[in-house]
Amino acid sequence: GAVVSQHPSWVICKSGTSVKIECRSLDFQATTMFWYRQFPKQSLMLMATSNEGSKATYEQGVEKDKFLINHASLTLSTLTVTSAHPEDSSFYICSAPSGGIYGYTFGSGTRLTVV
Amino acid sequence: SQQGEEDPQALSIQEGENATMNCSYKTSINNLQWYRQNSGRGLVHLILIRSNEREKHSGRLRVTLDTSKKSSSLLITASRAADTASYFCATDASNTGKLIFGQGTTLQVKP
């Protein structure tokens, strides 16, 4: 089945630094990638939608200058958390439509801890 | 985004028992999906039910959808300890993949 590979699976960074998270579709083309954030013991909240070859669409309340999204090719989308702060510590997860009855394929997630 | 409601928030049962989780949503939908998440891991797609379907089965899973009540239920029969996880419903209102997730139900199955 469709696989979305997400890296890194976890990262610890210092306040003020930037972190890049990658999501790759391995055996299908993902023209669209959705980025979600999940705080501990909470549900997933959509942050933004990236489309190959065009600017990402951000949900209300999500700072586009802080969360930079680049959909460089049909198989790669990246999320960069710039000038990270402790409140950005969260579980970030991507998903891409995988078609048919299978819904959407999710990456394995990235646990970001900002210290 | 408006989040759906799920109940119960937490459920603890013995192995072999059935587990039922409910989900309510607020807008019209094209489809509703159920996902499973093991602690600290990604989501696994369980089942998708379209707005014109009322019931769907997959192995030990049974999903119902009542669009008039804007609600869905997930039944796991003959539960196993390995079913311990969080379960989320997610609605797709526009068929674009933009999902709105419920708050989730944490299921614990005791061996």
Side-chain angles (χ1 to χ4, degrees):
Chain A
V3 175
V4 172
S5 176
Q6 182 170 350
H7 293 281
S9 56
W10 61 270
V11 58
I12 301 173
C13 71
K14 292 185 176 180
S15 284
T17 61
S18 295
V19 172
K20 180 186 282 189
I21 301 169
E22 290 188 351
C23 279
R24 292 181 185 272
S25 56
L26 296 187
D27 47 6
F28 68 103
Q29 292 184 334
T31 56
T32 300
M33 193 74 75
F34 299 96
W35 288 92
Y36 294 84
R37 180 168 52 185
Q38 184 181 32
F39 290 108
K41 298 190 186 302
Q42 293 189 24
S43 188
L44 285 77
M45 290 290 289
L46 181 66
M47 297 174 65
T49 304
S50 73
N51 294 289
E52 190 269 335
S54 62
K55 289 185 178 180
T57 304
Y58 291 82
E59 296 299 301
Q60 193 172 11
V62 178
E63 299 173 60
K64 61 180 180 181
D65 294 330
K66 180 170 186 59
F67 299 99
L68 301 180
I69 290 175
N70 183 22
H71 201 127
S73 71
L74 289 172
T75 58
L76 175 64
S77 177
T78 61
L79 166 67
T80 301
V81 182
T82 63
S83 188
H85 290 283
E87 56 265 31
D88 298 324
S89 297
S90 186
F91 189 65
Y92 293 86
I93 190 165
C94 60
S95 81
S98 46
I101 64 173
Y102 303 106
Y104 310 98
T105 300
F106 281 79
S108 54
T110 298
R111 174 127 355 249
L112 170 64
T113 303
V114 184
V115 297
Chain B
S1 305
Q2 288 185 313
Q3 293 273 296
E5 300 284 329
E6 284 190 60
D7 77 273
Q9 289 189 338
L11 181 60
S12 181
I13 58 175
Q14 293 293 136
E15 212 165 24
E17 294 179 338
N18 296 341
T20 300
M21 291 159 256
N22 301 295
C23 166
S24 62
Y25 55 91
K26 298 179 181 178
T27 64
S28 297
I29 62 171
N30 286 317
N31 65 70
L32 183 145
Q33 302 167 39
W34 284 90
Y35 288 87
R36 167 198 168 116
Q37 183 181 36
N38 287 75
S39 180
R41 304 294 297 274
L43 273 73
V44 175
H45 178 261
L46 295 177
I47 199 164
L48 181 154
I49 186 166
R50 300 192 187 283
S51 59
N52 61 353
E53 297 175 307
R54 291 297 167 257
E55 187 170 313
K56 210 162 185 179
H57 297 253
S58 177
R60 294 185 294 114
L61 307 180
R62 173 177 166 252
V63 167
T64 63
L65 178 65
D66 187 335
T67 53
S68 67
K69 294 181 179 178
K70 290 186 167 60
S71 66
S72 174
S73 68
L74 170 67
L75 168 68
I76 303 174
T77 60
S79 64
R80 304 166 182 167
D83 294 329
T84 295
S86 292
Y87 293 82
F88 294 91
C89 67
T91 54
D92 180 358
S94 58
N95 244 8
T96 62
K98 198 170 176 178
L99 298 176
I100 298 175
F101 282 83
Q103 294 300 312
T105 294
T106 300
L107 172 66
Q108 181 185 30
V109 181
K110 299 176 184 176

